[in-house]
Amino acid sequence: QQQVKQSPQSLIVQKGGISIINCAYENTAFDYFPWYQQFPGKGPALLIAIRPDVSEKKEGRFTISFNKSAKQFSLHIMDSQPGDSATYFCAASPNTGNQFYFGTGTSLTVIP
Amino acid sequence: DVKVTQSSRYLVKRTGEKVFLECVQDMDHENMFWYRQDPGLGLRLIYFSYDVKMKEKGDIPEGYSVSREKKERFSLILESASTNQTSMYLCASSPLWGENEKLFFGSGTQLSVL
């Protein structure tokens, strides 16, 4: 069973628009929530991550919003650019460490 | 920069063959992982290792085994390849779990089993 549920599966956004990807989890032992970005032909790379003690983390145009009570978190990409076109994975890791559970991925296309 | 190198980018094998996928990391990381990536299923953990000669099963270990004889090298073995093991295989490494857990991935091996 999928420990982290991710939506949508694919997303098309106009250049300059906001891209939003959502994830949800059930396991309350999760305490670290990273997002990975994957370009075609490459492995995923860490984009941004958050811990549950804060509700939002921003790095440049990328923001994670975290709702602990709802067990949901989302990635917002402001002013989306064609270079942001990639597959995005959310993930969660328990406080016991050593394991990541990934979402199913979102294919983002930003059209000029 | 951390480098995780997977020996093959593309691999074509026959059903029943024994297949070795090799992964080497150059940052002295304790943890190493093998994932498979399938459309609509995301990344699923096959095995991981937190030390030389140590291994732990992930979510989908059936049909696979691993070997870690040296810290920098982690091998995934398909004892008898089957068509349902056609997939993208991703190796990753990370330092000991601490404040900034981060996986470093290789570029992947696309395995086709015919």
Side-chain angles (χ1 to χ4, degrees):
Chain A
Q1 106 217 29
Q2 199 71 31
Q3 296 251 11
V4 179
K5 293 181 167 58
Q6 182 172 347
S7 63
Q9 188 173 346
S10 63
L11 184 60
I12 299 174
V13 173
Q14 291 272 5
K15 179 182 173 182
I18 302 173
S19 304
I20 301 174
I21 305 169
N22 300 299
C23 286
Y25 65 97
E26 287 298 325
N27 189 342
T28 54
F30 289 154
D31 73 346
Y32 179 68
F33 302 89
W35 285 88
Y36 281 78
Q37 179 188 54
Q38 184 182 30
F39 293 106
K42 301 289 187 184
L46 180 66
L47 182 64
I48 186 172
I50 196 168
R51 292 195 181 274
D53 51 344
V54 296
S55 60
E56 187 176 281
K57 184 172 181 181
K58 185 174 180 179
E59 289 184 3
R61 295 184 295 108
F62 300 90
T63 300
I64 301 178
S65 297
F66 187 82
N67 185 330
K68 190 174 181 178
S69 60
K71 297 203 270 303
Q72 295 174 349
F73 58 110
S74 59
L75 177 70
H76 297 236
I77 306 174
M78 311 300 287
D79 186 27
S80 298
Q81 299 296 312
D84 297 330
S85 297
T87 300
Y88 293 81
F89 293 96
C90 61
S93 179
N95 48 20
T96 50
N98 273 5
Q99 261 244 39
F100 283 105
Y101 297 91
F102 284 87
T104 50
T106 296
S107 176
L108 171 65
T109 303
V110 181
I111 50 179
Chain B
D1 269 356
V2 175
K3 199 162 184 185
V4 179
T5 303
Q6 294 185 231
S7 54
S8 305
R9 183 72 182 95
Y10 299 97
L11 212 51
V12 180
K13 295 293 180 181
R14 296 284 178 191
T15 302
E17 277 193 78
K18 190 168 185 175
V19 181
F20 292 86
L21 302 183
E22 306 287 345
C23 175
V24 177
Q25 51 97 359
D26 66 358
M27 281 300 290
D28 202 35
H29 284 167
E30 283 74 15
N31 299 327
M32 295 190 75
F33 306 80
W34 276 105
Y35 288 88
R36 65 176 280 177
Q37 180 177 4
D38 299 288
L41 296 177
L43 280 70
R44 293 179 293 165
L45 182 64
I46 305 171
Y47 269 97
F48 70 97
S49 168
Y50 52 89
D51 201 354
V52 175
K53 296 192 186 296
M54 305 302 288
K55 60 185 179 185
E56 293 281 346
K57 291 180 180 179
D59 299 317
I60 52 164
E62 296 78 18
Y64 304 95
S65 62
V66 290
S67 173
R68 193 166 182 201
E69 296 295 320
K70 293 184 178 181
K71 190 174 185 180
E72 67 270 19
R73 188 179 295 269
F74 193 34
S75 304
L76 180 69
I77 304 154
L78 287 66
E79 295 290 342
S80 177
S82 63
T83 54
N84 63 13
Q85 292 178 310
T86 291
S87 185
M88 171 67 78
Y89 289 88
L90 289 163
C91 175
S93 72
S94 76
L96 272 176
W97 242 236
E99 285 297 312
N100 294 300
E101 292 89 337
K102 180 177 177 180
L103 289 173
F104 296 84
F105 283 91
S107 294
T109 295
Q110 180 63 53
L111 173 66
S112 296
V113 183
L114 306 178

